[in-house]
Every structure is written in structure tokens, then in C-alpha cells.
Amino acid sequence: MRPEIAVLDIQGQYRVYTEFHRADEAEKTIILINGSLATTASFAQTVRNLHPQFNVVLFDQPYAGKSKPHNRQERLITKETEAHILLELIEHFQADHVMSFSWGGASTLLALAHQPRRVKKAVVSSFSPVINEPMRDYLDRGCQYLAACDRYQVGNLVNDTIGKHLPSLFKRFNYRHVSSLDSHEYAQMHFHINEVLQHDLERALSGARNIDIPVLFINGDRDEYTTAEDAREFGRHVGKSHFSVIRDAGHFLDMETKAACEDTRSALLGFLKPTVREPRQRYQHVQGQHALAI
């Protein structure tokens, strides 16, 4: 079934492209939050993991993907602004759950700190409150290549670091995605990295103490950049923290291998819908899906 497409007006300032994957028998709705500069295409496998058990909402940030043509790109967008966009989408779609990937976790934690009344559970995947040495090196080099608008180097950096465990097909999609980005997207990515390096995570963590719902943190045991060990530091900030480690998975979890995809799906459904025991689906590649995130 094709998703319901809408471009929503947010706060009279932004226009946001959304996809609503409706499931007639689903009782709850979940919103998925991209990593930096990723688009709705990044979540193709995750949608299959969650639908039709849930209605699933995807969206592109105003500067990216199919939201991009509807916005003027006159100013850079902070993680706080992204958090407020998410809060509006939660209300619009009456979402019960949210799930973020990679640096989408920062704006998600900021949004959850406002204690949106509808949201009952959240999942934060491939995110860490610690900027370890591999991540710092990745971000430092990313800043250099983005400032130079060097598409070749940015594409290779993503594939050689956080994307190192991806199948070659996804690496090709990643590179193609990066090479087609506009200069304002590079500027936005550069801005986000600088936010992170200038202790933006501390703001997200200080607000995380207000989060009063269960949050599942999922990380791959082969991910050097947002490690499962570092992710456990969230337990000091989020009162109802839960943790899941996906064996033989790197940063991109459900995109890397069939086994990691199935284990990620089991972890998600076990947390979000623990009374349901669904048969595992086959892992499959999707033409046009990219994995880019930061």
C-alpha cells in the first residue's frame, strides 16, 4: 500500500514533507527521525520491520529530501528547532512512539524533554552521549571536507567509517546521495557538526533528565563510533532507560546483514509491543535506499 503523502506547514516557517504508512489493524503510530542529511529513503527497511504492527510516519527535515523544494533555505536550523518540528509532528499525527537513528537522537531527546503528552515509549538507535576518539576524528574530518564542499571526500568518509560494515550496494547509494547534495545541505551538516563539537550533547543530556517515559537505546556491538558501552551512559540521565545490543552489527543495524536486521526487529517489537511474537521477515535490499547519517 502506498503511503499517504502530505507537505505540512510547521509554525508558519517551514514546510515538511511527510509519508504516513497506514495499517488498518494498527492501534498505535510511530514517527521515525532521520540522522543528519538522511532522508525518508533511509528508513525503508525499518518501515518493513514496524509495519503493519504500527502506523509509521516518515518525514524530511526542511533542508533535505522532498522537503527541500518547499523551503527557501535562508537560515540554518538548530537541533532545538528540529525538536520543535518533531513536537508538532507528534501532535499532528497523534503519535504514540518515536524512534530516532544516529544524530537524530539529539533532537529526539530535546523533544522528549518537553514531555509530549501523547508519547508513551521511545527508541534511540546508534547514538551515544560520548564523543569518543573515532567519532571525534570522523567529525573533524567531516568539518574539513564539508567546508571545502568536497563531495568525493565526504562520500568516502561516510563509507569508510560509520558505513564500513554496509553491503557494497548501500555504499554505492550513499555515495550517489552525497554527490547530489546542494551546497546549503553541506553548510547545514557543517553547522550540526560544530554544534556537536561545541558541547551540544550536554544540552540534550541536561534536558534528558526530564524524560519520564521508557526509552530503549539500541547499538551494534561492532559500532566503534557510537558504542554500546558508551550508550549505557544514558542510564545516568534518562530514568527509565533500557538497552539492547545487536550482535555483529555496526552503526547501521538493520541495513548490514539479514541476522542483524532480524535481531533489530525483534528488539523493537519486544520493547514497543512485547505481547506480540511476530514471525521474522526476510532481510532484503531496496533499490534506491541510502544509509547516510551522521
Side-chain angles (χ1 to χ4, degrees):
M1 182 181 297
R2 292 184 177 276
E4 300 169 20
I5 306 298
V7 179
L8 304 179
D9 181 83
I10 304 292
Q11 303 172 348
Q13 300 181 67
Y14 303 106
R15 302 278 288 169
V16 174
Y17 168 88
T18 64
E19 296 180 1
F20 182 57
H21 297 256
R22 186 185 299 276
D24 291 338
E25 297 181 3
E27 297 178 355
K28 297 185 183 299
T29 297
I30 184 168
I31 294 181
L32 307 185
I33 301 98
N34 290 315
S36 290
L37 293 188
T39 70
T40 54
S42 300
F43 276 130
Q45 181 60 48
T46 311
V47 170
R48 281 193 298 277
N49 284 344
L50 293 170
H51 189 271
Q53 290 82 5
F54 300 94
N55 300 311
V56 181
V57 177
L58 309 179
F59 71 98
D60 285 333
Q61 296 291 351
Y63 50 79
K66 295 180 181 179
S67 290
K68 187 167 53 174
H70 303 283
N71 296 276
R72 294 186 176 181
Q73 316 303 338
E74 294 176 335
R75 57 184 179 275
L76 299 173
I77 295 177
T78 65
K79 287 297 181 187
E80 286 83 359
T81 298
E82 290 188 1
H84 286 290
I85 290 173
L86 176 56
L87 289 169
E88 294 236 3
L89 294 176
I90 288 169
E91 285 300 312
H92 178 86
F93 289 102
Q94 300 184 7
D96 306 277
H97 307 312
V98 297
M99 176 183 175
S100 66
F101 175 71
S102 196
W103 286 111
S107 59
T108 299
L109 292 175
L110 288 167
L112 293 176
H114 289 270
Q115 299 182 351
R117 59 185 178 82
R118 296 199 57 89
V119 177
K120 300 300 186 290
K121 291 182 179 180
V123 178
V124 174
S125 66
S126 297
F127 191 49
S128 163
V130 178
I131 303 297
N132 62 16
E133 285 307 310
M135 177 60 80
R136 184 169 297 278
D137 176 69
Y138 169 66
L139 296 177
D140 285 341
R141 286 194 284 159
C143 269
Q144 175 186 341
Y145 301 149
L146 290 165
C149 208
D150 191 330
R151 291 174 167 80
Y152 173 81
Q153 292 285 15
V154 173
N156 285 334
L157 177 65
V158 172
N159 283 337
D160 292 343
T161 54
I162 60 173
K164 66 170 65 175
H165 300 297
L166 284 168
S168 58
L169 178 64
F170 280 131
K171 289 186 177 183
R172 289 198 296 273
F173 288 147
N174 266 358
Y175 189 85
R176 186 181 307 163
H177 178 68
V178 169
S179 66
S180 67
L181 295 178
D182 293 333
S183 58
H184 80 265
E185 293 175 271
Y186 275 51
Q188 181 69 55
M189 199 173 191
H190 187 272
F191 176 64
H192 277 172
I193 290 177
N194 280 325
E195 281 191 301
V196 170
L197 293 176
Q198 294 169 11
H199 310 295
D200 182 68
L201 282 181
E202 293 178 8
R203 292 200 295 273
L205 289 174
S206 63
R209 295 184 176 90
N210 295 327
I211 297 173
D212 60 353
I213 61 169
V215 181
L216 174 65
F217 297 94
I218 304 180
N219 299 80
D221 70 354
R222 301 176 72 190
D223 184 358
E224 310 167 44
Y225 300 89
T226 55
T227 71
E229 180 180 1
D230 286 344
R232 287 195 172 273
E233 289 293 310
F234 279 121
R236 298 171 52 194
H237 304 276
V238 179
K240 298 179 182 178
S241 295
H242 301 257
F243 299 91
S244 181
V245 180
I246 307 302
R247 290 184 303 170
D248 298 323
H251 192 73
F252 287 98
L253 299 178
D254 61 9
M255 295 186 190
E256 295 178 348
T257 67
K258 175 183 176 181
C261 176
E262 292 175 342
D263 289 345
T264 301
R265 181 174 183 271
S266 294
L268 291 175
L269 295 183
F271 176 71
L272 295 172
K273 206 168 184 178
T275 59
V276 175
R277 294 292 179 266
E278 299 284 346
R280 288 181 171 182
Q281 296 177 335
R282 288 184 58 83
Y283 172 80
Q284 55 184 310
H285 294 306
V286 181
Q287 187 167 357
Q289 182 177 1
H290 63 260
L292 178 66
I294 185 172

